[in-house]
Amino acid sequence: MGSRASTLLREEEIEEIKKETGFSHSQITRLYSRFTSLDKGENGTLSREDFQRIPELAINPLGDRIINAFFPEGEDQVNFRGFMRTLAHFRPIEDNEKNKDAAASEPLNSRTNKLLFAFRLYDLDRDDKISRDELLQVLRMMVGVNISDDQLGSIADRTIQEADQNGDNSISFNEFIKVLEKVDVEQKMSIRFLH
Amino acid sequence: MLVSAHSHSPVGSRSFLERGLLLLVVLMLLEGTVLPLGAASSPDTSAPNGAGGLDHRDDHRGIGHDNMTFQKKPFPVLGINYGHIRLPFEIALWVLLASLMKLGFHLIPRLSGIVPESCLLIVVGLLVGGFIKLAGEDVPPVLDSNLFFLILLPPIILDAGYFLPIRPFTENIGTILIFAVIGTLWNAFFIGGVLYAVCQIEGVHLSQVELLPCLLFGSIISAVDPVAVLAVFEEIHINELLHILVFGESLLNDAVTVVLYHLFEEYAGAGEVTLMDAFLGVISFLIVSIGGVAVGTIYGFLAAFTSRFTSHTRVIEPLFVFVYSYMAYLSAEMFHLSGIMALIACGAVMRPYVEANISHKSHTTIKYFLKMWSSVSETLIFIFLGVATVAGPHAWNWTFVSVTIILCLVSRVIGVVSLTFIINKFRIIKLTNKDQFIIAYGGLRGAIAFSLGYLLDNDHFPMRTMFLTAIITEIFFTVFVQGMTIKPLVDLLAVKKKQEAKRSINEEIHTQFLDHLLTGIEDICGHYGHHHWKDKLNRFNKKYIKKCLIAGERYKEPQLIAFYHKMEFKQAIELVESGGGVKVPAALPLQVSMQNIQPKKQPPAATERALPQFTKSREEEIRKILRSNLQKTRQRLRSYNRHTLVADPYEDGWGEYVLKKQRMIELEKKMTQMSNYLTVPAAPSDSPTMRRARLASDPNAFYNIKTPSDSVPTIHVELASPQSPDSVNLVDEVPKKGAMGQGLSQRNAADMKEDRERMMMPPSAGKGEKVEDDGGETKNPGLQRCLSDPGPSNEDEEDEPFLP
């Protein structure tokens, strides 16, 4: 609807988001104001164009893929809940969280979930494997236009060769995790949100 | 255990004996050098030594003049003129002593495991000083501050700065700065203040020590020393985070030390420091640190710019790196800025650009020269510390010294713990208690403190000798006690150790990927964080700076490609050095050599082995490649000229190289798949017809059963079947092996054995050898490991990407 009232965040919503994502109250309100500033149409959801309006995102090689990651399968609009759900992956892992509810499902910002998020950005067709072509696409995006296909191909081959353990010539999620075990993913994939 | 001890002791005692003898010889020589020290004080006596021969000859000419006093001696065939070369000789002797000591320590494995090298070197210094003193001579004042600051310290710092791991450093820069600045300030004031309080106590008889000298002493002794930290931490292989924290702190606290030192030294005479002075001190600190970094950066860019034009004079490339860095240091020292920070900034700034410009050989030269110089410097510093301990006038005061040692420990612990408490609120990865302990315990003091103390003017500071004694004792305590015990403590506390494995291309790609991802997310959040600014810097760098500073077209090369090239290059060198071309499966040579034993009899498989037919274009390529590379060998042998080096063949034509490499990898893969197939010379189960049939189904492979000698008619390099003797002419080393597939790979091996530095030329026939997958046969696990594991390398420092 178009009225301003519907764009204000209700307490219950904040509580729900807090429980789902683990963000604090102040973080949620801050991000909400960002959400509304991006939402030019003022209809409570963001479309792809709203994201593309961010200037730095346009020059980011992975810009399109990141934008796509916010939108659930097949949809064109993302509401605040979805927005927060995606951003929750990048919350820093806190020590006291590690002991909470072992029975409950893993929080969105656990190491595995962070890696899964990154993996899904590679794996566009959602077949749980990064194939050579998918890898080539990402490489091409990151490297620019000056490098020949052959060269990129050999890099891709080398990459797959290094990571592949079951010989299917693609990188599965477990292989992906294994390759990055030395990389400090908790730190790398965390943004220090304003406290 | 007993056996090993037995086997060790003769070696150990022998090397002890050797070193003892060596030491004695060295000391004799040293004594010989020291004696003229006394003699040289009277110039008259030295004159005849040097000018003796000359006088005689002069007198010869003026023959009529002084026949009375002139006594003709027989022409001196042999003579000694020691005074002439005394100074360089002594210097060389010291350096030789240092290097021999370093050699010696590593011959005794158990000792170097328990005692860190720095301790042993100090002991050696003590011994040398003791010998000299026993000889009755004055121990030369070797640890002269000028010598230390201008000659001994810069190589170590440059080595540290040039190879500084930029990424962990910048990621932790906040923590490092807080420890360096605030931690050192806290240490200085705490130690100085409490010492003053202690000195004021009645029974101590130290009441003449005023506040300002105490504070000066505190500031001298509070700084963590980079040389000592490097020396000890290098041996304990601690994880990267802790290493960079302590080491970064030791580098950056130089600015604080410089300012505090000058401040208190200036005003110790005046007796008081006003608030205005303190304010000026703060301003001075900013100028010293930022100025130092600025000077270093300017020289760094100059060096990078110069290296852009050195493509024709590769021989002097390393010189630019060294000279510009040294000048950066000296310029900073000239303006009383922080020379250490200038040197670090210079090295860190120039490295990415210089490395993109210079040849591989220059890179190796720079690396080894820096390591060599810094190693010798470090050794000399510790030895001189020992000598200076024996030499210097000492004023031992139990209270002062013991209070100093206790205070240093206490203040360090308090400082680290409280600062970590504050820092952890801002860090994503918190510092644990274990980390804090190591950081506190690793705060070693070293020769910088001693030299600063040595610089003190004796008139202004009558208690200088007492200070020096206390400084030396503190240094000894930290280096010996803390240095020796830190390794077992690290093991005991199970602190994470350094991970030895080098960076894989996967990590590189995914790290960059994550960088872009995080930058994007930050932009979406509107949060201008770490990634945002890093991305901006990278973009700026790529757009403007790289264009100016990197020669030729290489500035366009993305970082990923550069990394990949380096990796491939390293792997190529490793493959060559391990003595083989393609990693031919281990089982293969055995079979092949068996075939060699019967050269006459053609191995049954040879004729039946399917051989790929070269297409015309492939043949041309092979011919061209071989021709050009063989010519290059001859060129290389002919250049004796110091001024020119043959252009490295692998410097140009990267693209070609990579393509070839790719095909090589394909070939390797095929080799694995083919391996079992090839090693069975006459597999009865698979008749030739069957094989032919199988291969014929592969549309890509054109197979002709022909004798190998015909396949490549114009190239006599081809190692053919054992029967063709004329195929041996150029490539003598290549053992005559059978099949073409092996042949090609062995030709590779031959090429490489012949010319170790040449680019690897994988056969372009690799493409033609598309053998289809032998699905049923299991792959030899050994081969897989062989092919996919590029081998160990302990040069992980260079695998860091240039720009994070």
Side-chain angles (χ1 to χ4, degrees), chain A residues 34 60 122 158-159 162 188, chain B residues 510 516 523-524 568 571:
Chain A
R34 175 69 178 170
N60 192 318
Y122 275 104
R158 174 66 185 255
T159 311
E162 253 183 23
K188 269 213 173 8
Chain B
H510 298 313
H516 286 303
D523 291 327
I524 291 179
E568 291 286 287
Q571 191 184 356

Side-chain angles (χ1 to χ4, degrees), chain A residues 34 56 60-62 70 90 121-122 139 143 150-151 154-155 158-159 162-163 176 179 184 188 191-192, chain B residues 426 429 504-506 509-511 513 516-518 520 523-527 558 564-565 567-568 571 659:
Chain A
R34 175 69 178 170
E56 292 90 355
N60 192 318
L62 301 175
F70 277 89
F90 296 95
L121 283 179
Y122 275 104
L139 280 175
V143 141
D150 275 336
Q151 259 193 337
S154 56
I155 296 181
R158 174 66 185 255
T159 311
E162 253 183 23
F176 188 69
V179 162
D184 201 354
K188 269 213 173 8
I191 298 182
R192 234 170 286 159
Chain B
F426 297 100
I429 301 241
S504 69
I505 185 124
N506 266 289
I509 293 180
H510 298 313
T511 313
F513 180 83
H516 286 303
L517 172 62
L518 269 274
D523 291 327
I524 291 179
C525 294
H527 174 77
Y564 178 67
H565 280 162
M567 226 174 108
E568 291 286 287
Q571 191 184 356
L659 278 173

Side-chain angles (χ1 to χ4, degrees), chain B residues 182-219:
Chain B
I182 303 184
T184 314
L185 278 174
W186 156 258
N187 277 346
F189 282 106
F190 184 74
I191 295 177
V194 175
L195 259 181
Y196 178 64
V198 165
C199 288
Q200 295 305 94
I201 299 178
E202 284 301 319
V204 175
H205 310 294
L206 281 174
S207 46
Q208 75 275 20
V209 181
E210 299 174 21
L211 178 62
L212 279 174
C214 275
L215 285 175
L216 178 61
F217 178 75
S219 62

Side-chain angles (χ1 to χ4, degrees), chain B residues 460-473:
Chain B
H460 286 173
F461 300 96
M463 65 295 295
R464 174 175 171 268
T465 45
M466 187 173 69
F467 283 175
L468 276 178
T469 314
I471 293 176
I472 287 195
T473 320

Side-chain angles (χ1 to χ4, degrees), chain B residues 16-17 19 138 144 166 168 195 200 330 362 386 444 469 482 500 520 586 594 612 622 631 667 704 766-767 801:
Chain B
F16 260 130
L17 212 60
R19 283 193 295 118
D138 285 329
D144 175 39
I166 297 282
L195 259 181
Q200 295 305 94
L330 293 175
S362 300
L444 305 171
T469 314
Q482 286 177 236
E500 293 298 341
M594 268 178 46
I622 296 177
Q631 276 178 354
L667 174 64
N704 263 335
K767 269 254 160 49

Side-chain angles (χ1 to χ4, degrees), chain B residues 711-727:
Chain B
S711 56
V712 188
T714 54
I715 303 179
H716 297 291
V717 188
E718 187 44 37
L719 27 110
S721 69
Q723 285 128 353
S724 45
D726 56 332
S727 62

